[in-house]
Amino acid sequence: MQCFITAVLLFNSCLLVHSAEWALATYHTGSNCSGAGNADSNNAFPLLLGTCVLSYRGSSPAANVWTKAVCSATSVERKGYSDDKCTVESTDTSLNENYGKPGCNVDNLLLTCTAEHDVAVSKAYMLPDGSTAASCIDPGEVGERVMAMGACHTSRDNTGVVGLKAACEGKTVVMNKYQAWDCTGTANKFFTVSNTCATGYNANGWLALKSGCGFSASSGSGSTGSSAMLDISFSLIVTLLLGRLMA
């Protein structure tokens, strides 16, 4: 009985988590991808695999470009598509990229495709200096930004290469910055992403959370209607089972 209750609780948790596979990139200082990692950075990584993402929102629906990345034995590749199911390749190939093969590549770039992390999705806006959150209106959305929760990756700031790692605090994504490339040591809050639009990676790039960390923009709360019903149903089941166990 106790095992069954544990299974029910775990099943309930899994239903409410959006997890996916990501490709990760590590630049090494030594030959054949040896030595210290993350000697450089690539803003495309962590790269979400197998999921269609609105990477560019044009002035009309026909100009939109979705992208999907796939990993095979010979390549880690991203392609652009003209539909939100990523079935029709786009004539705009500016977002197409072949990053190399899984394993060690030129420039001592090590690519892996087996990392699994929860997904957070935000609307992305490109706004001029002096903008406010009120300027984040949907016609001004330039695409979506996806974040791998808990995945250490690198970026560059005015000090050089730094480590970044996202975490959930309530229904908010917190992007923490580390001086260490491997995200060890003291974490400093870089930016946050919530349902209130705010600056993200740079002063002109604004982000507003669409989903992740228990938040869903469609409902304006942490659970969709169906998820909330699942929570209630599982809570009732567990309550009844616990009652029988204690009787």
Side-chain angles (χ1 to χ4, degrees):
M1 180 66 75
Q2 288 174 320
C3 293
F4 180 68
I5 291 172
T6 302
V8 169
L9 289 170
L10 289 173
F11 181 52
N12 184 25
S13 299
C14 292
L15 281 173
L16 303 179
V17 173
H18 177 200
S19 185
E21 285 193 335
W22 299 76
L24 302 181
T26 309
Y27 288 88
H28 288 264
T29 54
S31 60
N32 299 316
C33 295
S34 63
N38 294 332
D40 205 341
S41 66
N42 187 322
N43 290 335
F45 293 87
L47 184 66
L48 181 61
L49 298 173
T51 301
C52 204
V53 177
L54 178 59
S55 294
Y56 174 74
R57 183 172 180 175
S59 56
S60 67
N64 292 347
V65 179
W66 286 263
T67 60
K68 185 171 71 171
V70 294
C71 182
S72 68
T74 57
S75 68
V76 179
E77 189 172 8
R78 181 183 67 189
K79 286 186 178 181
Y81 297 84
S82 59
D83 66 306
D84 62 1
K85 300 294 186 294
C86 289
T87 57
V88 181
E89 289 191 26
S90 174
T91 55
D92 180 352
T93 59
S94 60
L95 296 177
N96 290 9
E97 188 77 32
N98 188 329
Y99 298 99
K101 67 181 187 302
C104 191
N105 293 269
V106 295
D107 299 327
N108 292 309
L109 169 62
L110 179 65
L111 295 177
T112 60
C113 298
T114 57
E116 188 167 318
H117 294 277
D118 292 347
V119 182
V121 183
S122 67
K123 293 181 179 181
Y125 302 84
M126 187 61 66
L127 303 176
D129 293 341
S131 296
T132 66
S135 302
C136 295
I137 53 176
D138 283 349
E141 182 188 350
V142 295
E144 294 176 341
R145 182 75 187 232
V146 292
M147 292 163 282
M149 307 307 298
C152 183
H153 57 289
T154 54
S155 183
R156 282 188 174 272
D157 64 8
N158 56 0
T159 67
V161 178
V162 295
L164 297 179
K165 186 165 66 173
C168 291
E169 286 188 8
K171 295 181 177 64
T172 298
V173 175
V174 176
M175 185 64 74
N176 290 308
K177 181 189 289 188
Y178 302 79
Q179 288 305 308
W181 299 338
D182 60 355
C183 300
T184 57
T186 303
N188 295 301
K189 190 176 292 185
F190 183 22
F191 62 84
T192 60
V193 187
S194 67
N195 63 326
T196 300
C197 196
T199 53
Y201 292 89
N202 58 69
N204 301 113
W206 290 62
L207 302 173
L209 193 60
K210 189 173 181 180
S211 64
C213 291
F215 176 82
S216 172
S218 60
S219 63
S221 64
S223 298
T224 62
S226 59
S227 293
M229 288 302 294
L230 284 169
D231 283 341
I232 294 169
S233 298
F234 278 108
S235 295
L236 288 172
I237 291 171
V238 171
T239 300
L240 290 171
L241 289 173
L242 284 172
R244 282 193 175 185
L245 187 64
M246 304 298 284

